[in-house]
Amino acid sequence: MVVKSEFEKLGLQTISVELGEVELRESITENQKESLLKNLQALGFDLIDDKKSKSIEKIKNLIIDLVHHKNNELKTNLSDYLAQNLHQDYNTLSNLFSEVENTTIEKYFISQKIEKVKELLIYNELSLSEIADILNYSNVAHLSNQFKKITGFTPTYYKQLKDKKRIQIENL
């Protein structure tokens, strides 16, 4: 809504506003683009203009959406999923991502999964086995090993750290 209103303030009519992408009814002038960039940056947003950056953002958005919003309901492998959704060869996407981000798509995907695990551990509503199942880990040991490799902590220890930092309501 914030992004859409910034476009409207400049008299630009949007067709659609999605995560990382805006479709306009008419083309944008350089002056409008500069004003828009300044206004969006003040709000913590940025314009992505070049083709490489757009592709990288699309890859990241698909992975984030998959891990954080679709509970990782992946029906194919990640490479096929990205290639199908972006209508590009996976090797091209992978090389571009690695070149620009200095990490692989796979490592980015794993880091997003670990962030989701952290979130679910903090909520303390699911067992580690349920979390492993939700995020398509083959077993709890695989999740635990990957978690420790990325964070340096076991999931159980990470959960205890969170508990120690919390102040019980009656102690406030």
Side-chain angles (χ1 to χ4, degrees):
M1 288 174 30
V2 172
V3 172
K4 186 175 182 176
S5 78
E6 289 303 318
F7 276 86
E8 289 170 354
K9 285 179 189 175
L10 293 172
L12 298 167
Q13 293 185 357
T14 59
I15 295 172
S16 71
V17 179
E18 301 291 324
L19 185 61
E21 199 171 304
V22 176
E23 189 177 350
L24 297 172
R25 293 197 189 280
E26 66 276 343
S27 58
I28 186 170
T29 67
E30 276 305 311
N31 287 339
Q32 288 173 319
K33 190 185 257 186
E34 286 175 26
S35 296
L36 185 63
L37 178 60
K38 191 174 92 180
N39 295 348
L40 288 174
Q41 284 176 334
L43 296 167
F45 294 98
D46 208 347
L47 279 180
I48 302 169
D49 218 12
D50 65 281
K51 194 173 181 179
K52 280 185 180 181
S53 295
K54 286 180 184 176
S55 293
I56 298 298
E57 275 308 302
K58 286 180 182 178
I59 292 168
K60 286 181 174 181
N61 288 339
L62 280 170
I63 290 172
I64 289 167
D65 187 50
L66 182 65
V67 172
H68 294 277
H69 305 292
K70 294 181 179 174
N71 286 329
N72 204 17
E73 295 171 0
L74 194 57
K75 304 292 183 230
T76 62
N77 60 30
L78 181 62
S79 57
D80 289 342
Y81 176 78
L82 293 174
Q84 288 168 1
N85 280 283
L86 297 173
H87 311 291
Q88 288 185 16
D89 176 58
Y90 179 75
N91 288 332
T92 305
L93 294 171
S94 178
N95 291 336
L96 174 66
F97 193 89
S98 297
E99 174 190 322
V100 174
E101 294 295 315
N102 293 324
T103 189
T104 64
I105 289 175
E106 183 67 24
K107 285 182 181 175
Y108 183 79
F109 181 58
I110 290 168
S111 69
Q112 289 300 319
K113 285 175 74 169
I114 295 304
E115 287 305 309
K116 184 66 175 180
V117 172
K118 287 179 184 178
E119 177 186 321
L120 293 171
L121 285 172
I122 287 172
Y123 287 148
N124 203 17
E125 295 173 359
L126 301 170
S127 70
L128 202 51
S129 178
E130 291 168 320
I131 293 171
D133 190 47
I134 286 171
L135 292 174
N136 283 345
Y137 280 96
S138 53
N139 55 45
V140 173
H142 182 222
L143 176 130
S144 295
N145 288 336
Q146 206 168 65
F147 190 90
K148 184 163 183 158
K149 190 185 292 183
I150 300 292
T151 65
F153 302 116
T154 65
T156 306
Y157 185 76
Y158 182 83
K159 201 173 185 177
Q160 290 171 347
L161 285 176
K162 183 267 314 179
D163 289 340
K164 288 179 185 173
K165 289 180 184 174
R166 290 187 71 203
I167 299 171
Q168 298 300 321
I169 197 161
E170 61 271 3
N171 297 330
L172 289 175

